[in-house]
Every structure is written in structure tokens, then in C-alpha cells.
């Protein structure tokens, strides 16, 4: 069976995965994910029309964001689970249609119904779905349509997936915003139409950045209201003797529940990957058995999980197909899934805790080593006056935001090389998991301000934007005129959404790498370079000289 997927940075040959995903996604799963996205568009076609008649349905809106999240890179590889989702979406499609029809009745207007394919029922065969997915295949469309138009459609689709992921994180904490649901329905409904105008697509793309800013703000609020504001914290990065659980991904709520359920159980809890910033939230660090962070970025998990002597929970989009050596002590939750890996239901972590107790745990503590984290917008703003005075006194020459995702490719050394080359009179803000390449290095301080300020997860790009806006206000200028440069590493669709937010805010001269998105062909890239002065990364020395000029 053939496939075509080019939604992430590691796509095969920087053009597209066609036989098996570099991530491990099978052609079958890729086909089912295409159908899930197709069904989301169909549902949105009705929820958008119903919304225009002032009729909404929260369970349909929340299902859309969850299902888009399922199709993100490294989230779900379980074919059976995908089939269940497709059945659920088919029912939701009927419900969305009924919602629209009842809205029409209430407004005494005639409903204009749409005939959709595919439709799941008990006699539908998987082969039928795969045949339909083949027709949807992007590579087929590229042969018949304008590649720049297809590229813009894909940019919107992947931006929507990233936005939906952030909205889903916030939704799990009880936070949502009608403007986000409304935009997602509108954009998906537009994508469901048979003809697209590039200018209309581009306008939706930039609005995706605008709405993603709202989603990141909402998630920031959800995190801060639920767990307090991050504060500068030294986090232990070496093991402590005892039984242990490792929690990976982005979901702070799952981590909190694990911590609550492991109290007085003599089990230590460690964060992994993008959960490192959790150690700086007062509502989480108060648990003494949250002993620190283990390991680094997501792509090293096979080795790290194999060596970790306890059970492991994967909460979001960081899953690599697991090895048999740790598969039976690996657990997933919510959107994450892999055939044969146990799934946690209803936040009942008893199976995870039991598995931890059956493993040997760390038999001895290692010498204590720690790293400093916790520079969210509140913490940075508390030293903003000092930073502003230091910039005015020319003690701080420049601020670099070096952030984003990590990945396995060698050319990602660019980011650690760049961080190492940044002169001692410059600050480095960082976020995302790309920082694991350099966050254990010693960067020193300027006038007592640490030179490396870890702002948190990828969604904490919101914090970076808040800080940049505050600096621009203090200097009575615009962000593009500040002594500030952004150097981003992208990997998956959340990073696409963050990039669209920066483009919406008209931030220029963003350096991006290590590879450019395969779905952005030369023409669309040319447009973005011209309009937003987007810059593919070069060499650290050359780029640094340019940014400091
Ligand atoms: Fe390939 Fe990335 Fe798609 Fe996986 S998600 S199949 S690695 S492009």
C-alpha cells in the first residue's frame, strides 16, 4: 500500500514519506488519518453553517480539536483506535448535520445539505476506506493542481492541527474559547470546499496564527491558574534511589494526577522531554516525590526508556514506536496510542503505579546535578527593569530566542553550535525541547541575570512574545527594531502554528531550520521570504554575524 505524508520536518528525503513514515507511521495509519481529517472537515462544514445561525455544540467542537490532535506527528500509531475514531466521527457527522437542520428550522430557512463520503457503517470494509484515502492522497492532488495552492492548503491544515493541539491541552484543564472553536470550524469548512482561492487561503493561514496566539494565551492562563506561575527553580537531573515513574509529553494535568496518586506510595516521579518545565510550577513542585527530570528530548526515548528502571507514561505527541524491552511498562493516555501498549482510562493510574513497583527502580542515587529553569513571562518580567537598564548601559548587547523542537538529524547541531557561539554579553531565551542540546552547559550571567533563560514548553512561545512586546513598549519601538533575534527549530505541526503566530504578529527575519517544510514549495517559500523576510538557517557563524550587525 502506498502513502504520502510530508507534514513534519523529518519527512523522507525532505520530500515526503511514501512507503513507511520515518516516524514509524504505517501506510494504513496514514490513510486512516487522512480520513479522520476529511471527516473533521465534513463535520465542520455543518458546525460552521449552524454557528452562522447561532447554534453551537461543545461536544462536536471539542471532538474536532481532539481528532485533529490524534493526527499530529508521533501521537497515535494504533490502527484499531483510528477505526474507532472514524466510527465516532461518522456518528458526529450525522449529529452535526442534525444540528444544522434544527438551526435552519428554528430560523425558518431551508437547509442546504451536503452529500459526503466516506460513511462508516458495519458493512464498510477497511479496503473501501483505504481506496477512498488513496483518492484523497495529497501527492495525487499535487499532480493535478497548482503546487503553491496545495502548499498553502497544507500550511493551513498543519497550522490547524497545531492550534487544535494547544486548544485541546487547554480544554483538558477546563478552558476553552468560542473564538477558537469558531475559527477552526470556519477554516476546516473552507478546506472542505472543492475550489480554493490562494488569497482566501492565505488570509485563513494568517488568522490561524492570530487564533493560535489566543490558544497559547488560553493555555498559559490554564496552566498558571491551575498550577501557579513558573518560578526560577533548580531541577535535579540525576537519579534518586527508589522505585520510579517517568512522565513524558506536555500534559501537566496528567502529571499532577500521577503525583496525587503516588503520594505515600514510595515511588519517585521524574519528568521527561517537554515536561521538564513542570518542575517550576508551584502547584507541581510542592510534591516532594517529583524528584527531577530524567533524559532529554523525545528522539532519544528508545535508549532512555529502555534504561529507565520503572514505568513510563506518554501524555502527548512524543511517542516513538516502542521496543519490546519496555513496551510492557509503557502506558499512554488520551490521544496517544500504540497497538499493544496499555492505555490509561479516566485518569486511573493504578496500572502505571503497579508496574513501577514491579520494576527494580534506581538502586542508588547519583551525585546531584541540576539545571535552572522556570523563566516564564512573570519571572522574566520581574527582572525586566534590570534587563532594560542593562541594554541601555550596553551591558546586554542582544537577546536571542533559540527555541523550538528537537529531532534526530545531525544538522540540528546548528542550534547548540549557535548557542555556544553567542557572545557573553548576550542573553539567550529558550523554549521547547530543542534546548536539551545545550541546556546543561554553563552560560554564566550578566549583572546577576542568568544568560540562559528557559521559558518552558513550545507553547510558552506566548511568554517570549509577551516579553518581546514589553521590551518594545519600554523602548518605544516595534519588536522588529529591538536587539532581538529569533532562531527557531521546527519539527511538527505545533511549531507550524507558532510560526504562523509570529507571522501574524509581523515578526520579521525569523531564522528557521534545520530543513524547510517540504509542503512549502519554492513559490510559496518565495512569497513568505518576501513578505515576512523568513530566513532559512545557514551556518552559526554567518547567521550570528548577520543578526549582530
Ligand atoms: Fe513522515 Fe513526518 Fe508524516 Fe511521519 S509524520 S509519515 S515522519 S512526514
Amino acid at each position: 500500500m502506498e502513502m504520502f505524508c510530508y507534514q513534519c520536518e523529518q519527512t523522507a528525503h525532505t520530500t515526503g514519506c511514501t512507503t513507511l513514515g520515518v516516524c514509524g507511521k504505517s501506510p494504513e495509519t496514514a490513510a486512516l488519518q487522512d480520513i479522520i481529517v476529511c471527516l473533521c472537515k465534513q463535520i465542520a462544514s455543518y458546525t460552521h453553517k449552524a454557528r452562522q445561525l447561532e447554534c453551537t455544540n461543545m461536544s462536536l467542537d471539542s471532538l474536532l480539536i481532539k481528532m485533529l490532535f490524534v493526527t499530529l506527528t508521533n501521537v497515535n500509531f494504533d490502527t484499531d483506535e483510528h477505526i474507532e475514531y472514524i466510527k465516532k466521527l461518522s456518528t458526529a457527522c450525522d449529529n452535526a448535520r442534525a444540528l444544522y437542520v434544527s438551526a435552519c428550522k428554528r430560523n425558518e430557512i431551508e437547509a442546504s445539505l451536503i452529500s459526503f463520503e466516506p460513511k462508516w457503517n458495519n458493512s464498510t470494509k477497511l479496503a473501501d476506506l483505504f481506496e477512498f484515502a488513496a483518492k484523497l492522497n495529497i501527492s495525487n492532488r499535487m499532480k493535478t493542481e497548482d503546487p503553491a495552492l496545495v502548499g498553502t492548503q497544507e500550511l493551513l491544515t498543519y497550522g490547524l492541527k497545531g492550534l487544535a493541539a494547544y486548544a485541546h491541552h487547554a480544554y483538558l484543564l477546563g478552558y476553552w474559547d468560542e473564538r477558537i472553536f469558531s475559527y477552526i470550524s470556519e477554516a476546516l469548512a473552507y478546506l472542505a470546499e472543492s475550489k480554493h482561492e490562494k488569497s482566501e487561503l492565505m488570509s485563513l493561514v494568517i488568522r490561524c496564527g492570530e487564533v493560535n496566539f489566543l490558544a497559547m494565551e488560553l493555555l498559559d492562563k490554564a496552566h498558571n491558574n491551575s498550577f501557579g506561575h513558573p518560578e526560577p527553580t533548580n531541577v535535579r537531573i540525576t537519579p534518586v534511589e527508589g522505585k520510579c515513574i517517568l512522565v513524558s509529553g506536555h500534559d501537566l494535568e496528567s502529571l499532577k494526577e500521577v503525583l496525587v496518586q503516588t503520594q505515600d506510595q514510595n515511588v519517585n516521579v521524574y519528568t521527561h522531554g517537554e515536561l521538564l518545565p513542570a518542575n517550576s510550577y508551584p502547584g507541581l513542585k510542592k510534591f516532594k516525590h517529583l524528584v527531577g527530570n530524567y533524559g532529554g528530548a523525545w528522539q532519544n526515548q528508545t535508549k532512555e526508556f529502555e534504561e529507565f528502571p520503572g514505568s513510563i507514561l506518554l501524555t502527548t505527541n512524543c511517542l516513538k514506536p516502542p521496543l519490546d524491552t519496555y513496551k510492557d511498562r509503557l502506558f499512554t493516555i488520551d490521544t496517544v496510542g500504540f497497538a499493544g501498549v496499555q492505555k490509561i482510562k479516566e485518569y486511573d493510574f493504578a496500572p502505571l503505579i503497579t508496574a513501577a513497583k514491579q520494576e527494580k527502580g534506581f538502586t542508588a542515587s547519583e551525585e546531584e546535578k541540576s539545571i535552572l529553569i522556570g523563566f516564564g513571562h512573570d519571572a522574566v518580567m520581574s527582572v525586566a527593569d534590570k534587563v532594560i537598564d542593562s541594554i541601555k548601559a550596553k551591558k546586554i548587547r542582544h537577546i536571542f530566542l533559540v527555541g523550538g523542537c528537537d529531532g534526530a538529524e545531525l544538522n540540528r547541531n546548528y542550534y547548540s553550535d549557535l548557542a555556544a557561539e553567542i557572545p557573553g554579553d548576550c542573553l539567550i531565551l529558550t523554549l521547547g525541547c530543542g534546548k536539551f542540546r545545550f541546556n546543561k552547559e554553563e552560560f554564566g550571567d550578566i549583572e546577576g541575570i542568568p544568560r540562559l533563560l528557559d521559558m518552558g514548553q513550545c507553547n510558552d512561545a506566548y511568554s517570549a512574545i509577551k516579553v518581546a512586546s514589553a521590551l518594545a513598549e519600554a523602548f518605544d519601538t516595534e519588536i522588529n527594531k529591538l536587539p532581538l533575534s529569533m532562531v527557531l527549530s521546527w519539527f511538527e505541526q505545533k511549531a507550524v502554528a507558532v510560526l504562523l503566530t509570529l507571522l501574524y504578529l509581523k515578526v520579521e527575519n525569523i531564522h528557521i531550520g534545520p530543513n524547510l517544510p517540504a509542503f512549502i514549495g519554492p513559490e510559496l517559500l518565495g512569497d513568505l521570504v518576501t513578505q515576512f523576510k523568513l530566513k532559512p538557517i545557514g551556518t552559526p557563524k554567518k547567521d550570528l554575524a548577520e543578526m549582530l550587525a
Side-chain angles (χ1 to χ4, degrees), residues 4-8 23 25 29-41 63-76 82 138 141 153-169 180 183-185 187-188 191 204-205 208-209 211-212 215-216 316-317 335 458 490-498 500 519:
F4 187 82
C5 180
Y6 59 174
Q7 69 174 355
C8 82
C23 61
K25 185 161 78 178
T29 304
L32 295 172
Q33 291 192 348
D34 287 346
I35 290 172
I36 285 175
V37 173
C38 176
L39 281 163
C40 286
K41 290 177 191 169
L63 180 67
L64 282 182
I65 57 173
K66 181 172 177 179
M67 290 301 101
L68 288 177
F69 193 176
V70 164
T71 68
L72 243 71
T73 303
N74 286 355
V75 174
N76 201 308
H82 281 76
I138 305 156
R141 280 197 280 127
Q153 287 163 356
E154 298 309 301
L155 182 59
L156 178 57
T157 305
Y158 305 143
L160 279 168
K161 288 188 182 193
L163 157 64
Y166 289 140
H168 180 69
H169 284 308
I180 298 173
Y183 167 76
I184 290 177
S185 277
L188 285 171
L191 285 169
L204 281 167
V205 162
C208 184
V211 178
N212 187 58
M216 289 196 297
T316 53
N317 52 306
T335 50
C458 55
W490 87 284
F491 177 71
E492 38 75 321
Q493 299 77 50
K494 285 178 176 173
V496 174
V498 172
L500 295 184
F519 54 85

Side-chain angles (χ1 to χ4, degrees), residues 1 30-32 34-35 118 127-138 140:
M1 188 171 163
L32 295 172
D34 287 346
I35 290 172
D128 300 332
L129 285 175
F130 291 150
E131 193 185 322
F132 180 81
K135 286 186 208 152
L136 289 175
N137 200 302
I138 305 156
N140 292 338

Side-chain angles (χ1 to χ4, degrees), residues 196-216:
H196 298 135
E197 286 294 328
K198 202 168 151 215
S199 60
E200 289 174 353
L201 274 170
M202 250 346 253
S203 148
L204 281 167
V205 162
I206 298 305
R207 277 181 58 210
C208 184
E210 179 182 8
V211 178
N212 187 58
F213 187 57
L214 273 180
M216 289 196 297

Side-chain angles (χ1 to χ4, degrees), residues 35-331:
I35 290 172
I36 285 175
V37 173
C38 176
L39 281 163
C40 286
K41 290 177 191 169
Q42 295 175 3
I43 293 165
S45 298
Y46 282 126
T47 54
H48 177 54
K49 279 164 170 268
R51 193 168 249 112
Q52 288 170 319
L53 299 171
E54 296 185 357
C55 201
T56 59
N57 180 306
M58 176 78 87
S59 64
L60 289 171
D61 291 327
S62 59
L63 180 67
L64 282 182
I65 57 173
K66 181 172 177 179
M67 290 301 101
L68 288 177
F69 193 176
V70 164
T71 68
L72 243 71
T73 303
N74 286 355
V75 174
N76 201 308
F77 299 84
D78 188 336
T79 306
D80 290 346
E81 207 173 313
H82 281 76
I83 292 169
E84 288 307 311
Y85 288 143
I86 287 172
K87 287 181 190 173
K88 202 170 177 178
L89 284 167
S90 287
T91 306
C93 209
D94 291 340
N95 295 342
R97 184 174 134 129
L99 178 78
Y100 166 60
V101 169
S102 93
C104 289
K105 270 193 192 141
R106 197 178 307 158
N107 285 275
E108 298 179 348
I109 58 171
E110 196 177 331
S112 96
L113 299 178
I114 313 162
S115 172
F116 288 130
E117 287 281 337
K119 183 152 180 59
W120 178 276
N121 59 42
N122 287 338
S123 63
T124 309
K125 301 211 169 32
L126 254 185
D128 300 332
L129 285 175
F130 291 150
E131 193 185 322
F132 180 81
K135 286 186 208 152
L136 289 175
N137 200 302
I138 305 156
S139 64
N140 292 338
R141 280 197 280 127
M142 287 179 75
K143 284 175 208 150
T144 55
E145 289 180 33
D146 170 6
L149 188 73
V150 177
T152 317
Q153 287 163 356
E154 298 309 301
L155 182 59
L156 178 57
T157 305
Y158 305 143
L160 279 168
K161 288 188 182 193
L163 157 64
Y166 289 140
H168 180 69
H169 284 308
Y171 186 77
L172 288 180
L173 286 163
Y175 289 75
W176 65 86
D177 187 316
E178 164 57 21
R179 291 170 294 178
I180 298 173
F181 286 148
S182 171
Y183 167 76
I184 290 177
S185 277
E186 180 191 344
L188 285 171
Y190 184 78
L191 285 169
E193 289 176 12
S194 54
K195 287 229 173 329
H196 298 135
E197 286 294 328
K198 202 168 151 215
S199 60
E200 289 174 353
L201 274 170
M202 250 346 253
S203 148
L204 281 167
V205 162
I206 298 305
R207 277 181 58 210
C208 184
E210 179 182 8
V211 178
N212 187 58
F213 187 57
L214 273 180
M216 289 196 297
E217 185 179 32
L218 187 68
L219 185 53
D220 180 77
K221 188 171 157 193
H223 283 161
N224 293 334
N225 287 355
S226 306
F227 311 110
H229 287 275
E231 50 193 31
T233 305
N234 278 306
V235 180
R236 183 175 179 131
I237 53 169
T238 47
V240 175
E241 182 182 349
K243 302 283 183 185
C244 49
I245 290 174
L246 187 61
V247 186
S248 191
H250 301 74
D251 182 13
L252 302 186
E253 182 63 14
S254 290
L255 174 65
K256 188 201 87 187
E257 277 302 320
V258 170
L259 289 166
V260 168
Q261 293 178 35
T262 46
Q263 280 192 100
D264 307 321
Q265 298 265 353
N266 286 327
V267 176
N268 292 325
V269 178
Y270 296 78
T271 56
H272 179 263
E274 276 278 74
L275 264 184
L276 164 66
N279 293 279
S280 66
Y281 285 86
L284 297 170
K285 66 191 254 191
K286 70 179 183 191
F287 293 95
K288 297 293 171 232
H289 60 301
L290 176 61
V291 293
N293 188 74
Y294 176 88
W298 67 274
Q299 76 276 3
N300 300 322
Q301 68 184 245
T302 318
K303 181 173 181 293
E304 290 170 358
F305 288 3
E306 197 168 35
E307 289 171 0
F308 187 78
S311 59
I312 303 153
L313 175 69
L314 248 303
T315 66
T316 53
N317 52 306
C318 298
L319 175 65
K320 282 182 79 171
L323 301 180
D324 287 341
T325 46
Y326 60 83
K327 202 171 174 182
D328 61 345
R329 52 188 172 89
L330 181 68
F331 296 79

Side-chain angles (χ1 to χ4, degrees), residues 404-517:
C405 325
D406 205 359
E409 304 99 318
L410 278 178
N411 54 357
R412 285 183 182 268
N413 285 340
Y414 168 92
Y415 297 95
S416 44
D417 293 347
L418 180 84
E421 298 255 356
I422 288 174
D425 56 358
C426 302
L427 294 182
I428 307 170
L429 306 179
T430 190
L431 49 88
C433 62
K435 63 175 171 253
F436 281 107
R437 287 182 180 257
F438 52 82
N439 70 346
K440 294 180 190 77
E441 304 301 323
E442 184 48 62
F443 286 91
D445 66 274
I446 302 174
E447 303 282 300
I449 305 165
R451 281 190 59 228
L452 181 70
L453 298 169
D454 183 347
M455 305 194 90
Q457 299 181 333
C458 55
N459 45 289
D460 292 310
Y462 172 73
S463 277
I465 292 166
K466 263 195 103 164
V467 169
S469 304
L471 286 178
E473 201 179 319
F475 285 98
D476 193 22
T477 186
E478 54 185 85
I479 290 178
N480 291 323
K481 297 220 167 99
L482 286 172
L484 169 73
S485 299
M486 299 199 183
V487 190
L488 305 182
S489 51
W490 87 284
F491 177 71
E492 38 75 321
Q493 299 77 50
K494 285 178 176 173
V496 174
V498 172
L499 178 66
L500 295 184
T501 295
L502 294 172
L503 299 187
Y504 154 70
L505 293 169
K506 298 192 168 58
V507 177
E508 294 177 348
N509 295 312
I510 301 167
H511 285 70
I512 183 165
N515 296 308
L516 290 170

